[in-house]
Amino acid sequence: MFLEVLGITVLWIFLLGYVIVASIDFGAGFFNAYSLVTNKNHILSGIIKRYLSPVWEITNVFFVFFFVGIVGFFPQTAYYYGTVLLVPASIALILLTLRGSYYAFESYSGVTGHKGYALMYGLAGLFIPASLSVVLTISEGGFVQLTEVGPQLDYNALFTSPLTWAIVVLSITAVLYISAVFLTWYAHYAGDNKAGMLMRKYALVTSLPLIVSAIGIIVEMRRTGNWHYANMVDLSWLFIVSGILFLATTALLWLKDKYGFAVLLMILQFATAFFAYGISHYPYLLYPYLTVHDSFTTTSMAIAIVIAFIAGLCLLIPSMYLVLKLFIFNKSYASGDEETHV
Amino acid sequence: MDQSAVFWSRALTELTLSFHILFATLGVGVPLMILIAQYVGYKKNDAHYTLMARRWARGFTITVAVGVVTGTVIGLQLSLLWPQFMELAGQIIALPLFMETFAFFFEAIFLGIYLYTWDRFQNPKHHMLLLIPVAIGASMSAVFITIVNAFMNAPRGFDLVGGELINIQPILAMFTPAMPTKIGHVLTSSYMTVAFILAAIAAYRLLRGEDHVYHKKALSLMMKLGIIFSLATALVGDFSAKYLAEYQPEKLAAAEWHFETEAGADLIFFGVLDGEEVKYEIRIPKVLSFLASNDFNAEVTGLNEFSEDEQPPLITHYFFDVMVSIGVLMIFVSFAFVFGKWRNWQWIHSRPFRWFIVLSGPLSLVAIEAGWWLAELGRQPWILYGIMRTADGATTATGVEWLFIAFAIVYFILAIGSIVVLRRMFKHNPVEKELAMREGGGV
């Protein structure tokens, strides 16, 4: 019991980490493309590039970590989700592959790319969260049938469900909002006020559809009398806390004050909502077939993974600190005064 | 069981892995070579070697990116294409898989730091030290992922009772009999391949008329390392054959077209098969027995001892031949070069020999592919040797053939993209130009 909850909590934290860092990455690609269209590229591209270059690979590892971890702790997820997600996850993988390699091709080769590629890159970044977020709809139940050959995904039901589209819209707006808030701070931190003000505008613009789609999901779940909804009501105070944090973040942006604090509040806002969502989903991984308990791996393997995990963190936390200190929280790097690329 | 889904799952896995291992091999070997070059540059205070490290690192950014994204693909495809296998094996191989991501994480962090801190440290030694975690992370991720593969070839660390796995011992499952030789062979062959690829690049620049001492130093350094790693690869390869003779005799028998169990078995090179009749082969008497157990008269189990539905495909023989011949050729090339340089033989600087060195880079990659196809096809029909057949592990979803086409297009784009970008990176920035710029005080 304790190990299952520990396992899913650890994975959920890593998924949150991926959602935040990947959103910054995906959103940055989109804003870069958008600024190309609106001829504001000269303002944004430098700051985006300086943030992304040293960390894009690390972002990718968060994702790998999550899907390896979930198969490790909950091997049955491989059977259910592996089978039903073949197509959506493959689409996401293809986009991730093209996006990741294109980024490296452009940023390391020193060749400035083609406008068309940059647009493709920006759009691909929005399709990835959209294609991955269908997992959230599927996990609510009702979209997977167990047949004689194995579990099968009912695409028709999935694509005609309003919940699917509400989650897709939420994932895209969340990506843009998280990225805009972060880059607003990062640009100001680097002393680039022009880029900072532009990103602040984008952050404020995207905050509205974000909150509308979040409320839309709750309304939709209530309408269908979803099992999950009742659990969410019990945890409504956490969602309210998240909403307050959201209002505080936008207020700081509006007042052009304390951008670093705004980023912190934004992360807390998503963390609260993310955990409230996760806790209310407990104990189901895939309703009604898969719970955290019956899909859990053997105790000896769980203990081994937890030990490996702790040992790994002892290596990773100091190294991550080093990265932050050298690049993200380093004024002369962020402002581009120093050019020390290989 | 839908046979078409099984076929296309195998095909897509093979496509992804065959593409990934080209970049993964570079990913394991290049960091070590960068570390060695930077160390030599630091010790000898020779700017040429430091520049070597820098230029290799720049090219490495491209190959590592493709390695990372295709590695992510195969990581997830394991669950997407082989859900039933992962459900079963996930209970046991989770630990090495998990540790592999840690090693990869560790490497990614320090590689990022290394790439973006050139000339930033007061003491160049500190910058060089960043390469140690990169090289360790790169090799350790190969070690852990090879442990997973070794487990599939020699599963243990659990009891199978009525289809249920019980008494799982995670550590024992990592230390399978197949593990030492697999890891040894993967690491040494990766280092060897990278040494020959970097040597091939240097030889090519010399052939194109860039008569700079930088290229000569690179060629010489890589050839010396080439001898060490190709000999090590051959040695571990010999241990691998002995492992097979004892634990997976049908794999060795299929690779050697050795049908009847006999003492003093011959080693067969090339040839074609006519029924069970081998024609046009080069036959080395009694060497297979020696390869299998260090004794020229030892008995070697033949393929006919196994029931037909447990025999691996006979095509593996050609992969075995290709791998071994290239390996032996590499030992000769590097040995001739280093010995010739010591004895001052002029022909090692001749154009034909240099072209031969150029060829050795791609040939090493061919050997890597052939070796993996031998290892993987050689354990058919099993996905988990002796426990689960490949056909029972595949997905039950339909439409895998469309994904195969889609991924094939993606890999084609990546291949073209990496070649174009790598060419552009170095074409307009020859060594002379970069050296002059740095000596002139530029960054």
Side-chain angles (χ1 to χ4, degrees):
Chain A
M1 174 73 189
F2 169 71
L3 280 171
E4 284 103 300
V5 175
L6 179 71
I8 197 69
T9 309
V10 162
L11 291 173
W12 205 238
I13 291 171
F14 259 86
L15 191 60
L16 174 68
Y18 179 66
V19 167
I20 302 284
V21 292
S23 295
I24 296 172
D25 183 342
F26 296 149
F30 179 80
F31 288 123
N32 190 46
Y34 182 70
S35 66
L36 259 176
V37 177
T38 51
N39 283 323
K40 286 175 181 155
N41 192 34
H42 56 282
I43 304 177
L44 285 185
S45 64
I47 198 82
I48 288 177
K49 198 165 193 159
R50 273 195 298 282
Y51 165 73
L52 284 183
S53 297
V55 300
W56 80 266
E57 255 186 281
I58 301 174
T59 306
N60 200 58
V61 185
F62 272 93
F63 181 53
V64 178
F65 207 102
F66 175 75
F67 71 65
V68 168
I70 195 158
V71 174
F73 277 116
F74 306 99
Q76 279 189 32
T77 54
Y79 178 62
Y80 285 93
Y81 278 116
T83 309
V84 300
L85 287 180
L86 181 67
V87 174
S90 292
I91 293 171
L93 269 182
I94 288 174
L95 293 171
L96 271 174
T97 304
L98 291 175
R99 204 174 168 278
S101 52
Y102 171 70
Y103 180 77
F105 287 174
E106 190 180 276
S107 60
Y108 295 125
S109 67
V111 185
T112 11
H114 191 263
K115 209 169 172 175
Y117 290 145
L119 293 179
M120 290 287 288
Y121 181 80
L123 285 178
L126 296 188
F127 282 119
I128 295 168
S131 58
L132 288 176
S133 66
V134 299
V135 180
L136 296 177
T137 319
I138 293 171
S139 75
E140 297 294 323
F143 303 99
V144 176
Q145 273 84 46
L146 275 191
T147 65
E148 276 164 27
V149 286
Q152 275 183 336
L153 184 59
D154 185 347
Y155 283 99
N156 200 20
L158 184 67
F159 287 121
T160 51
S161 159
L163 183 65
T164 309
W165 299 105
I167 290 179
V168 165
V169 172
L170 177 73
S171 70
I172 293 174
T173 48
V175 159
L176 295 176
Y177 176 74
I178 291 172
S179 186
V181 173
F182 177 84
L183 289 171
T184 305
W185 165 73
Y186 195 58
H188 277 103
Y189 179 76
D192 189 344
N193 278 321
K194 258 180 123 177
M197 290 319 280
L198 188 60
M199 288 317 303
R200 171 184 166 268
K201 195 176 95 190
Y202 293 156
L204 289 171
V205 168
T206 47
S207 67
L208 200 67
L210 173 76
I211 203 69
V212 170
S213 55
I215 293 169
I217 288 171
I218 296 175
V219 171
E220 172 58 24
M221 284 171 79
R222 183 186 170 169
R223 191 182 65 79
T224 50
N226 185 301
W227 63 276
H228 192 179
Y229 181 75
N231 295 343
M232 280 169 74
V233 171
D234 292 341
L235 283 169
S236 51
W237 64 276
L238 269 177
F239 288 101
I240 291 167
V241 168
S242 177
I244 293 169
L245 287 165
F246 168 76
L247 291 175
T249 313
T250 44
L252 283 178
L253 290 174
W254 188 258
L255 297 169
K256 301 182 189 170
D257 191 24
K258 297 202 175 72
Y259 293 114
F261 191 54
V263 170
L264 185 69
L265 291 181
M266 180 271 288
I267 291 173
L268 285 176
Q269 171 214 330
F270 276 92
T272 342
F274 201 75
F275 271 89
Y277 176 86
I279 296 167
S280 57
H281 209 287
Y282 180 85
Y284 291 105
L285 291 169
L286 171 61
Y287 183 85
Y289 306 113
L290 211 55
T291 70
V292 166
H293 304 289
D294 53 35
S295 64
F296 196 59
T297 189
T298 52
T299 314
S300 52
M301 182 46 88
I303 291 170
I305 301 178
V306 169
I307 293 172
F309 183 78
I310 292 167
L313 282 188
C314 294
L315 275 180
L316 290 186
I317 291 172
S319 342
M320 288 292 281
Y321 174 75
L322 195 61
V323 171
L324 292 176
K325 201 168 159 312
L326 281 170
F327 302 111
I328 315 302
F329 294 108
N330 185 302
K331 274 217 162 90
S332 66
Y333 172 80
S335 60
D337 291 345
E338 257 182 89
E339 208 48 71
T340 51
H341 187 301
V342 66
Chain B
M1 182 53 58
D2 181 1
Q3 286 307 317
S4 136
V6 176
F7 174 81
W8 287 108
S9 294
R10 287 186 64 190
L12 179 50
T13 308
E14 181 174 356
L15 179 75
T16 303
L17 275 175
S18 298
F19 189 71
H20 175 65
I21 54 172
L22 296 174
F23 295 89
T25 303
L26 294 172
V28 173
V30 173
L32 182 72
M33 302 306 162
I34 299 175
L35 174 62
I36 291 173
Q38 196 147 348
Y39 178 76
V40 173
Y42 173 74
K43 272 282 154 192
K44 290 189 174 175
N45 201 13
D46 184 334
H48 288 149
Y49 289 100
T50 315
L51 183 63
M52 238 174 253
R54 189 164 192 157
R55 286 172 71 91
W56 290 344
R58 205 178 297 147
F60 185 55
T61 57
I62 302 302
T63 60
V64 82
V66 180
V68 166
V69 293
T70 54
T72 309
V73 170
I74 190 62
L76 202 50
Q77 271 182 356
L78 272 182
S79 295
L80 295 174
L81 297 172
W82 308 97
Q84 302 180 76
F85 160 69
M86 284 303 276
E87 185 190 13
L88 182 75
Q91 299 172 61
I92 318 159
I93 55 171
L95 184 63
L97 269 179
F98 208 62
M99 289 165 89
E100 197 263 342
T101 50
F102 267 118
F104 172 47
F105 214 147
F106 196 51
E107 181 197 350
I109 287 174
F110 281 94
L111 182 65
I113 299 176
Y114 174 78
L115 293 174
Y116 284 87
T117 51
W118 272 88
D119 309 321
R120 200 163 141 185
F121 288 94
Q122 295 291 326
N123 184 347
K125 193 175 163 187
H126 294 157
H127 187 238
M128 180 177 77
L129 291 177
L130 289 170
L131 279 169
I132 295 173
V134 177
I136 291 176
S139 292
M140 284 316 279
S141 55
V143 166
F144 289 124
I145 208 67
T146 309
I147 285 178
V148 173
N149 183 269
F151 175 82
M152 294 163 81
N153 278 280
R156 66 178 49 201
F158 59 91
D159 292 320
L160 192 65
V161 179
E164 293 281 310
L165 300 177
I166 55 165
N167 296 334
I168 291 173
Q169 292 161 287
I171 306 290
L172 197 64
M174 285 174 64
F175 291 88
T176 56
M179 183 202 106
T181 47
K182 282 238 171 212
I183 290 175
H185 208 49
V186 164
L187 288 182
T188 50
S189 63
S190 299
Y191 301 148
M192 167 193 136
T193 302
V194 170
F196 286 109
I197 287 173
L198 294 173
I201 293 171
Y204 183 73
R205 299 321 312 179
L206 288 167
L207 276 168
R208 295 303 299 260
E210 287 179 41
D211 197 27
H212 200 282
V213 68
Y214 167 94
H215 299 301
K216 289 179 181 159
K217 284 177 180 172
L219 180 59
S220 180
L221 177 65
M222 286 301 113
M223 279 306 199
K224 281 178 203 153
L225 292 171
I227 294 187
I228 298 170
F229 292 126
S230 54
L231 281 174
T233 307
L235 186 68
V236 186
D238 179 64
F239 294 155
S240 306
K242 289 175 177 45
Y243 161 80
L244 287 182
E246 191 170 343
Y247 291 92
Q248 265 178 307
E250 71 273 35
K251 194 188 237 182
L252 185 68
E256 267 304 306
W257 291 347
H258 182 64
F259 297 101
E260 295 300 331
T261 303
E262 59 179 353
D266 302 343
L267 186 78
I268 293 172
F269 245 154
F270 299 102
V272 288
L273 207 57
D274 181 11
E276 271 196 23
E277 210 50 41
V278 184
K279 287 180 177 169
Y280 316 114
E281 81 281 16
I282 304 168
R283 192 175 276 272
I284 313 173
K286 299 195 175 184
V287 168
L288 182 59
S289 286
F290 184 78
L291 191 68
S293 52
N294 274 347
D295 171 4
F296 285 106
N297 292 310
E299 192 176 81
V300 182
T301 313
L303 199 56
N304 290 346
E305 305 288 324
F306 298 89
S307 70
E308 212 154 284
D309 66 342
E310 287 184 11
Q311 293 181 2
L314 293 171
I315 192 178
T316 50
H317 175 69
Y318 300 110
F319 300 139
F320 185 73
D321 285 346
V322 167
M323 174 184 80
V324 171
S325 329
I326 292 175
V328 171
L329 197 67
M330 293 299 106
I331 294 175
F332 280 119
V333 173
S334 49
F335 194 76
F337 182 90
V338 175
F339 191 73
K341 198 158 175 272
W342 177 55
R343 304 298 317 211
N344 225 353
W345 290 343
Q346 283 313 302
W347 64 269
I348 58 159
H349 305 300
S350 67
R351 290 187 69 85
F353 191 70
R354 275 189 181 154
W355 274 116
F356 207 62
I357 297 173
V358 172
L359 203 64
S360 73
L363 274 180
S364 304
L365 284 175
V366 170
I368 292 278
E369 295 283 2
W372 272 114
W373 293 337
L374 163 68
E376 295 304 292
L377 277 174
R379 74 179 148 98
Q380 291 309 316
W382 302 105
I383 191 166
L384 260 182
Y385 185 70
I387 292 176
M388 186 186 235
R389 283 177 186 263
T390 308
D392 300 325
T395 182
T396 47
T398 49
V400 187
E401 57 271 36
W402 298 107
L403 296 174
F404 178 87
I405 296 170
F407 277 102
I409 296 169
V410 169
Y411 301 146
F412 182 74
I413 296 171
L414 292 190
I416 301 290
S418 11
I419 293 168
V420 169
V421 170
L422 281 170
R423 268 182 57 96
R424 265 201 228 157
M425 272 170 103
F426 293 103
K427 203 178 169 191
H428 302 296
N429 192 17
V431 172
E432 291 83 352
K433 194 171 141 192
E434 205 168 337
L435 273 173
M437 200 175 82
R438 293 198 197 290
E439 277 158 13
V443 179

